[in-house]
Amino acid sequence: ELFCTTAFPTTAIPLGTYIAGDAGLTTEIAALSFTGGLSGTGKAISYMTYTSNFRNGVPSAAVVMTDGHAQSGLNGQPDDYAAQAPMAMNAGITLYSVATGAPALVDTAALEAIC
């Protein structure tokens, strides 16, 4: 499942839409556009935790791509990725964090807190 997040996360490609090796997945990912705005990593992790339909009997995993810099939401509340990551893990989802952006600007401590 692929999520896009700015102020409000949305599902871009639902789980089960494609099978391994399906060329349509690459095409659909390439067609996505960057919308800009706040990163909302914590909101995205929470949204994924409560809306994804992981298959039974198959390990659940998610890759979180971020620069690690928390941003305040529209209501001024800070992004709560450090609180949402353990909730996802407690739901049985293994998280992997991948740094995006210039290496010198990535908050590696935040990426480590996610997984």
Side-chain angles (χ1 to χ4, degrees), residues 2 11-14 17-18 22-33:
L2 180 65
T11 302
I13 304 172
T17 303
Y18 297 98
D22 191 330
L25 177 59
T26 304
T27 302
E28 192 159 352
I29 290 171
L32 293 173
S33 61

Side-chain angles (χ1 to χ4, degrees), residues 1-4 10-18 25 29 32 44 47-55 61-64 93:
E1 196 153 22
L2 180 65
F3 298 96
C4 296
T10 59
T11 302
I13 304 172
L15 283 172
T17 303
Y18 297 98
L25 177 59
I29 290 171
L32 293 173
Y47 181 81
M48 178 268 315
T49 300
Y50 296 107
T51 64
S52 292
N53 294 314
F54 291 102
R55 291 187 299 168
V63 177
V64 179
I93 304 167

Side-chain angles (χ1 to χ4, degrees), residues 37-90:
L38 303 173
S39 63
T41 305
K43 284 186 171 118
I45 292 171
S46 177
Y47 181 81
M48 178 268 315
T49 300
Y50 296 107
T51 64
S52 292
N53 294 314
F54 291 102
R55 291 187 299 168
N56 292 329
V58 177
S60 301
V63 177
V64 179
M65 299 184 339
T66 180
D67 62 6
H69 293 284
Q71 297 174 321
S72 294
L74 298 176
N75 60 1
Q77 296 295 317
D79 186 58
D80 60 350
Y81 64 86
Q84 296 304 322
M87 292 177 81
M89 289 181 234
N90 289 339

